[in-house]
Amino acid sequence: MAKTCILLGAAIDEGQRRPGCLMGPAAFRVAGLPQALQELGHGVEDRGDVRVVPDQSAECPNPAVHSLAEVVGMANALRKATDEALSTGFPIIMGGDHSLALGSVAGAAAHAAAKGKPLFLLWLDAHSDFHTPLTTTSGNLHGTPVAYCAGREGFDAFGPFPAPIPPENICLFGIRSVDPAEHAALLNHDIEINDMRVLDEHGIVKPLRDFLNKVAAAGGMLHVSLDVDFLDPSIAPAVGTTVPGGTTIREAHLVMELLHESALVTSLDLVELNPFLDDRGRTARLMVDLVASLMGRKVFDRPTRSYSGA
């Protein structure tokens, strides 16, 4: 089914300390994301990069936290932009580092709550991003969005998360780098964790289909947050947080194809692309190809699998 894809640029790299992610939205455009979507029959509305007003009143008692005003400003802008985009189409948020999800997922949650639907979150990432502004020792806020979405404390500067996502509605998929403090906190939350050990033992398909069946059974909306480091750095070098042992090109495309067949995805983040670290646009083009698979590009048409929850 054709969608109206609404592109939102989130030019931010203050959520971590390596410059370059703010060039991500431009790189996705140059790599042909709008054209790829149009070739698949989707409408495309590029609303440009969201305008960010840093929140100079934002405070955090943890002295390690940096760039709080800028990250809160982006979160505020994206919360509103994502909520509005969901009213008329399928938002694709082009980052930017993963701190942008503090706003994009909040906007999706606000929209889902207004429609009386549960929101589910699929986190495709090497990291669990389950720190809070109070527990982070690096001070990098790109490592905090999942904790915010799950309703953990310590996010006073961002305001209450609209309708916190029940932990059982969150799936961490492909993770392979978790700090001790995050590990301890995750043990107290019923979040579905499919790390690379699980995927190695059981494969990609069953854990993902099980989660998608849960979304379908609940009549939920699904926000997907795709981090470049979900992929192995040998195929996607343009990321500042490389962790060996990520998914292959074929595995990543399989994930995207299964998501397309489910027809459950309602919004999408593309994050942590740092064009300064790329090899002649290699990573940007791969990410565009993955989005195309999510949006319906196939080598051979097959009957669509039913996700009835059965």
Side-chain angles (χ1 to χ4, degrees), residues 35 50 71 144 158 258 273:
Q35 294 86 344
V50 296
V71 175
T144 66
F158 295 88
L258 292 171
L273 175 67

Side-chain angles (χ1 to χ4, degrees), residues 223-234:
H223 183 94
V224 174
S225 203
L226 172 60
D227 191 311
V228 170
D229 68 21
F230 174 65
L231 306 162
D232 192 82
S234 65

Side-chain angles (χ1 to χ4, degrees), residues 58-72:
E59 296 180 349
C60 179
N62 181 357
V65 170
H66 63 90
S67 306
L68 182 63
E70 291 78 12
V71 175
V72 172

Side-chain angles (χ1 to χ4, degrees), residues 32-123:
L33 180 58
Q35 294 86 344
L37 295 169
Q38 289 168 341
E39 288 170 1
L40 291 167
H42 302 292
V44 177
E45 180 185 344
D46 190 343
R47 296 187 179 177
D49 294 356
V50 296
R51 181 175 177 270
V52 176
V53 178
D55 184 353
Q56 301 298 345
S57 67
E59 296 180 349
C60 179
N62 181 357
V65 170
H66 63 90
S67 306
L68 182 63
E70 291 78 12
V71 175
V72 172
M74 176 60 79
N76 291 338
L78 274 181
R79 180 186 300 206
K80 182 174 184 291
T82 304
D83 190 356
E84 290 176 350
L86 275 163
S87 298
T88 56
F90 181 91
I92 300 177
I93 298 91
M94 306 178 297
D97 69 60
H98 223 152
S99 67
L100 68 83
L102 292 158
S104 62
V105 186
H111 185 83
K115 292 190 71 172
K117 292 184 173 242
L119 181 68
F120 288 75
L121 175 62
L122 179 61
W123 200 257

